[in-house]
Amino acid sequence: MSTDSRRPAADSELQRALDAVGDPVRRSILRQLAAADPWTIACGQFDLPVGKSTLTHHFRSLVEAGLLEQRDEGNRRMNRLMRDEFDRRFPGLLDLVLDQ
Amino acid sequence: MSTDSRRPAADSELQRALDAVGDPVRRSILRQLAAADPWTIACGQFDLPVGKSTLTHHFRSLVEAGLLEQRDEGNRRMNRLMRDEFDRRFPGLLDLVLDQ
DNA sequence: GACTATGTTCGACAGTGATCGAACATCCCA
DNA sequence: TGGGATGTTCGATCACTGTCGAACATAGTC
């Protein structure tokens, strides 16, 4: 690994994390994801007021920030919130989002 | 008080906090402020690569997010990081910024 | 094989916000 | 009282990003 998660995250990583979490649509994704079991929700199943292509955009942002992981299951793309991993890198940040 | 700091902060407050902390210039302000004693640094004394009017803009953002407090001392406008207050509303967020 | 469902890619567009410089206001000091 | 220092306000600009729709790709189904 090139990054040591016990060392403080570089500012560019923090920037990406804050950007990811700074959008209300993405926060809604994170909350809906946290309320369900891992790998049970496909991208199109979220209750969100945006179109498909916008959704793709937001998911990319979340994946790049290390907030969620995706896996293809036939037709659909399933999601898992990377809660523990993200908590280790940025303690407290995700909790802040999920506690409304 | 209209807001109870023990209740989870409303999403609009969280939005303002994340926006404030999401800018690299503002994070630099917060770090320089944390490294000094309260009320010892005036706005113009920060080491930052932006002009005066931009500075004013960033300070307004930080004040509105409840991250710092200002006080006029004659000519200059002194600053204090509202660390405890902000930590109570958004536990862990400021630490994330200050730990580089 | 045709049709449907699920996602991605691409180009365009609009709103937001970070930035600047010029002008202004205030305060301090000589 | 005049000059310098410190900040603010205002208007303009520019880049970024969230948004959309259309076209495309792929997988499942009848």
Side-chain angles (χ1 to χ4, degrees):
Chain A
M1 254 221 283
S2 69
T3 60
D4 181 350
S5 60
R6 287 160 309 183
R7 242 184 324 186
D11 202 54
S12 69
E13 294 180 56
L14 178 61
Q15 182 72 64
R16 232 179 312 155
L18 291 173
D19 285 345
V21 147
D23 182 273
V25 172
R26 289 195 283 265
R27 283 199 298 278
S28 180
I29 292 177
L30 294 173
R31 287 171 187 142
Q32 293 180 47
L33 217 41
D37 289 330
W39 303 122
T40 58
I41 312 190
C43 291
Q45 294 180 312
F46 288 82
D47 180 27
L48 292 167
V50 294
K52 288 192 303 174
S53 50
T54 304
L55 242 284
T56 299
H57 167 68
H58 286 306
F59 276 107
R60 176 168 41 236
S61 169
L62 290 170
V63 167
E64 283 171 357
L67 269 159
L68 62 84
E69 192 180 9
Q70 300 189 309
R71 172 211 287 175
D72 283 353
E73 276 184 20
N75 213 4
R76 312 189 303 166
R77 181 155 291 188
M78 311 304 288
N79 300 277
R80 180 184 79 88
L81 185 61
M82 299 177 65
R83 190 156 188 172
D84 294 346
E85 298 91 326
F86 193 81
D87 279 345
R88 239 171 284 137
R89 273 221 176 74
F90 304 101
L93 183 51
L94 187 51
D95 288 335
L96 235 46
V97 172
L98 298 182
D99 293 357
Q100 315 263 343
Chain B
M1 252 220 284
S2 69
T3 60
D4 181 351
S5 59
R6 288 160 308 182
R7 241 184 325 187
D11 201 54
S12 69
E13 293 181 57
L14 179 60
Q15 183 71 63
R16 233 179 311 154
L18 291 174
D19 284 344
V21 146
D23 182 272
V25 172
R26 290 194 282 266
R27 283 199 299 277
S28 181
I29 293 177
L30 294 173
R31 288 170 187 143
Q32 294 180 46
L33 218 42
D37 289 331
W39 303 122
T40 59
I41 311 189
C43 290
Q45 293 179 315
F46 288 84
D47 179 29
L48 292 168
V50 294
K52 289 193 301 175
S53 49
T54 304
L55 242 283
T56 299
H57 167 67
H58 286 305
F59 276 107
R60 176 168 41 234
S61 170
L62 290 169
V63 167
E64 284 171 356
L67 270 159
L68 63 84
E69 192 181 8
Q70 301 189 308
R71 171 211 288 175
D72 283 353
E73 276 184 19
N75 212 6
R76 312 188 304 164
R77 180 155 292 189
M78 312 303 289
N79 299 278
R80 181 183 79 89
L81 185 61
M82 300 177 65
R83 190 156 188 172
D84 293 347
E85 296 91 327
F86 192 80
D87 279 344
R88 238 171 285 136
R89 274 221 177 75
F90 304 102
L93 183 50
L94 187 50
D95 288 334
L96 235 46
V97 172
L98 299 182
D99 294 356
Q100 317 263 341

